[in-house]
RNA sequence: GGAGGGGUACCCAAGCGGCCAAAGGGGGCUGACUGUAAAUCAGCUGCGCAAAGCUUCGGGGGUUCGAAUCCCUCCCCCUCCA
């Protein structure tokens, strides 16, 4: 029934909601029984809205993408909705302060960057999945008409009771623009319901309020049924946010975050999270997830390798995943850094003259200041080609280049950079 | 428009003329121990090729030998009143 290496699963016998439930994707569903019944009877169309504030999605979106993928595998039709129009406004959900407003051109180019990332998770061939942009229907809207049709359906009291808006109010208030966000998102749902027969909106748990208002709007306007399903907020058991690393955000764009780092993010999760993450971020059957996730000692450590490799394969492809794994194995085995390891280059002449170690680590981005480098050196936290740096005043020159023509810099045991001369 | 309160480092928060590069907590980082895990313990956490020094307490100006601390002014936030 399942194919381990990610082939499409056509299993009309299995209800996608059961799969999602079992794998831990579901935090809350507006009307679980009805939705399950509907999804078990016929293919449904559902949508997930994403934000267009950057030219890449980040690892936090992977959870939603995996979920859309499961829907597709079970024969349903997912819509990835770009928030081209809503990004012009800024969603207050989950924010203390308002989001920056972007221009239409910025958003346009952001969407071009994101599109290929979606394709790693969804098959857009034929009508199997759709990629839409809400700017297409939001832009032509007329204010008076919108207020008459939609504005009259919302109660301010109701909106202000929503967690997201309450938080913003308590944190210092918001503008009318932000308040109207929920109207617009609801309108999206209504529009997709009318034009594409979309009956379900999925998203992160912070979207619950906005989404449920949309489902209500559909009921009020068309009398039809609409559902909302939200995923839990994924954190590691130690409280680290999904997709945040010491270096910053883990992006899906390989230019921003090399697959090596993506791999390492999964490689370094706590033992306690292995099973949960295998279930969320791979397509492995649950028996295998369970077997790998409950292993102990050395075995659980190997399970992390499998998890990291598979998650990277899904997001970046086979080759990138293999490269990341091999680079990590080599690096942690003490070998010279391979090309998959994030690399910076330094001018050959500059290196020939000798560069202060502190400067070199700064250049590699492993420390943000010479002071930081010094304090790490004092604690034995920086190493060069595997040997701890002991002298903060040392100068490094070409002698440090290894066989392969690179220098390996490490901060702690896990963060490595490769320096080449150019 | 009026009255009051407030803006301190990544976050919370103390300080209210020198002993303040700024207490305390959180977070983060590094080391030891391990399995690239957790827990625990220790250290570090403004910049500077660590030497003098430099820049920081919303912005600008002033008083003073000396200002995060006092004065003026501008900006921003909160509460109440109109």
């Amino acid at each position: 029934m399942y194919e381990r290496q990610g082939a499409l699963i056509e299993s009309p016998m299995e209800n996608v909601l059961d799969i999602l439930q079992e794998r831990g994707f579901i935090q809350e569903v507006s009307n679980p029984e009805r939705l399950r019944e509907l999804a078990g009877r016929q293919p449904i169309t559902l949508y997930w809205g994403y934000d267009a504030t950057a030219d890449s999605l980040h690892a936090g979106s992977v959870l939603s993408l995996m979920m859309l993928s499961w829907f597709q595998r079970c024969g349903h039709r997912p819509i990835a909705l770009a928030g081209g129009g809503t990004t012009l406004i800024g969603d207050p959900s989950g924010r203390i302060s308002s989001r920056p407003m972007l221009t239409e051109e910025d958003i346009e180019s952001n969407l071009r960057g994101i599109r290929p990332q979606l394709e790693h998770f969804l098959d857009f061939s034929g009508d199997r999945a759709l990629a839409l942009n809400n700017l297409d229907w939001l832009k032509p809207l007329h204010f008076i008409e919108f207020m008459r049709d939609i504005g009259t359906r919302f109660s301010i009291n109701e909106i202000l009771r929503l967690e997201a808006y309450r938080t913003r109010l308590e944190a210092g208030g918001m503008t009318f623009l932000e308040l109207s966000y929920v109207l617009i998102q609801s309108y999206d749902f209504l529009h997709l319901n009318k034009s594409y027969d979309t009956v379900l909106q999925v998203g992160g748990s912070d979207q619950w309020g906005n989404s449920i208002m949309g489902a209500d709007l559909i009921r009020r306007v068309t009398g039809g049924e609409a559902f909302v399903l939200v995923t839990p907020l994924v954190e590691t058991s130690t409280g680290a946010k999904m997709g945040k690393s010491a270096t910053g955000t883990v992006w899906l764009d390989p230019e921003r975050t090399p697959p090596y780092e993506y791999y390492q993010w999964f490689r370094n999760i706590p033992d306690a999270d292995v099973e949960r993450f295998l279930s969320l971020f791979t397509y492995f059957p649950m028996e295998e997830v369970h077997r790998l996730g409950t292993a102990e000692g050395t075995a659980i450590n190997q399970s992390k390798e499998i998890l990291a490799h598979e998650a990277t394969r899904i997001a970046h492809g086979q080759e990138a995943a293999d490269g990341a794994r091999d680079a990590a194995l080599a690096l942690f085995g003490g070998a010279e850094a391979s090309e998959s390891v994030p690399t910076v280059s330094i001018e050959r002449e500059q290196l020939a003259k000798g560069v202060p170690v502190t400067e070199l680590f700064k250049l590699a981005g492993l420390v943000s200041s010479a002071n930081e480098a010094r304090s790490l050196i004092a604690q034995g936290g920086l190493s060069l080609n595997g040997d701890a740096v002991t002298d903060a005043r040392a100068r490094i020159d070409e002698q440090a280049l290894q066989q392969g023509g690179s220098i390996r810099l490490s901060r702690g045991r896990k963060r490595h950079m490769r320096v080449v001369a150019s």
Side-chain angles (χ1 to χ4, degrees):
Chain A
M1 182 162 66
Y2 292 97
E3 249 272 0
R4 180 179 159 140
Q5 285 301 320
L8 291 174
I9 293 160
E10 301 294 353
S11 54
M13 298 313 290
E14 192 145 15
N15 193 305
V16 64
L17 286 164
D18 294 335
I19 296 176
L20 295 175
Q21 182 69 52
E22 186 185 13
R23 302 191 78 103
F25 282 93
I26 300 180
Q27 159 102 4
E28 206 163 356
V29 185
S30 57
N31 187 345
E33 299 78 26
R34 274 294 294 146
L35 179 60
R36 185 177 181 285
E37 188 196 325
L38 191 66
R41 200 171 59 218
Q42 65 191 72
I44 62 167
T45 299
L46 64 143
Y47 95 96
W48 168 68
Y50 63 92
D51 168 55
T53 44
D55 64 2
S56 170
L57 296 172
H58 51 79
S61 305
V62 172
L63 186 71
S64 295
L65 289 169
M66 288 298 292
M67 178 162 68
L68 293 185
S69 173
W70 280 113
F71 271 105
Q72 186 170 60
R73 280 155 189 259
C74 293
H76 303 288
R77 182 174 67 158
I79 295 175
L81 178 66
T86 26
T87 304
L88 286 169
I89 296 178
D91 176 12
S93 302
R95 286 292 180 120
I96 308 277
S97 54
S98 53
R99 296 184 188 213
M101 287 200 249
L102 303 181
T103 65
E104 255 180 70
E105 296 76 59
D106 289 339
I107 291 170
E108 225 16 64
S109 100
N110 285 347
L111 293 182
R112 274 197 301 276
I114 291 171
R115 177 61 200 253
Q117 298 169 2
L118 300 174
E119 289 170 6
H120 278 113
F121 297 85
L122 298 175
D123 173 11
F124 286 95
S125 65
D127 249 0
R128 302 203 65 228
L130 303 174
L132 304 175
N133 182 350
N134 66 7
L135 188 64
D136 294 342
W137 55 84
L138 291 182
K139 207 177 175 195
L141 276 184
H142 292 287
F143 186 73
I144 300 210
E145 210 177 307
F146 181 76
M147 280 302 163
R148 285 179 63 112
D149 293 348
I150 308 298
T152 49
R153 310 278 188 170
F154 285 84
S155 137
I156 294 274
N157 307 18
E158 218 176 325
I159 296 173
L160 294 184
R161 270 200 296 274
L162 297 178
E163 171 82 30
Y165 293 87
R166 225 176 39 229
T167 311
R168 284 285 283 134
L169 267 185
E170 280 160 15
M174 66 191 126
T175 62
F176 190 80
L177 186 74
E178 294 170 82
L179 182 66
S180 59
Y181 188 90
V182 61
L183 269 69
I184 298 186
Q185 188 169 327
S186 298
Y187 181 78
D188 280 346
F189 198 177
L190 178 63
H191 176 86
L192 290 172
N193 177 261
K194 285 177 169 169
S195 311
Y196 296 89
D197 206 20
T198 303
V199 293
L200 169 67
Q201 178 176 183
V202 301
S205 57
D206 58 338
Q207 291 302 318
W208 177 257
N210 283 341
S211 307
I212 208 76
M213 297 292 267
D216 279 351
L217 179 65
I218 290 171
R219 189 171 37 74
R220 286 173 198 164
V221 173
T222 72
E225 263 184 313
F227 306 88
V228 175
L229 186 165
V230 293
T231 57
L233 184 70
V234 179
E235 291 185 328
T236 67
S237 56
T238 48
K241 278 206 188 77
M242 174 69 201
K244 293 285 179 192
S245 74
T247 339
T249 303
V250 177
W251 300 94
L252 276 179
D253 177 359
E255 297 297 314
R256 281 179 178 249
T257 302
Y260 169 81
E261 279 178 42
Y262 190 84
Y263 177 95
Q264 281 299 321
W265 192 86
F266 284 98
R267 182 67 181 82
N268 285 318
I269 62 163
D271 284 10
D273 297 319
V274 174
E275 184 170 14
R276 186 163 54 107
F277 279 29
L278 279 164
S279 130
L280 295 172
F281 299 108
T282 75
Y283 298 114
F284 295 161
M286 285 308 281
E287 306 85 72
E288 195 173 351
V289 166
H290 183 70
R291 185 178 61 76
L292 291 169
T294 51
E296 281 174 24
T298 320
I300 188 94
N301 200 24
Q302 278 162 6
S303 297
K304 290 183 198 177
E305 250 172 64
I306 297 171
L307 164 66
H309 183 265
E310 181 62 8
T312 308
R313 191 191 66 74
I314 292 170
H316 292 288
Q318 185 75 43
E319 204 179 317
D322 292 349
R325 182 192 50 207
D326 296 346
L329 285 173
L331 217 43
F332 285 89
E336 183 168 0
S338 78
E339 282 172 28
S340 294
V341 177
T343 302
V344 293
S345 64
I346 182 171
E347 282 177 31
R348 196 166 281 282
E349 300 109 75
Q350 201 188 340
L351 187 62
K353 277 183 282 179
V355 182
V357 241
T358 50
E359 193 53 38
L360 193 63
F361 276 91
K362 214 162 93 179
L363 193 92
L366 285 172
V367 299
S368 58
S369 70
N371 274 346
E372 189 180 11
R374 260 180 235 114
S375 96
L376 285 169
I377 288 169
Q379 303 180 69
L382 294 185
S383 54
L384 189 143
N385 293 334
D387 298 319
V389 178
T390 49
D391 180 8
R393 302 202 204 201
R395 297 179 81 88
I396 306 304
D397 57 28
E398 300 147 300
Q399 309 254 309
L401 291 170
Q402 296 176 289
Q403 303 307 223
S406 71
I407 304 175
R408 171 161 61 108
L409 300 183
S410 319
R411 167 182 175 145
R413 285 158 306 160
K414 295 185 201 163
R415 287 168 65 185
H416 306 277
M417 288 294 287
R418 174 170 168 268
V419 178
V420 295
S422 62

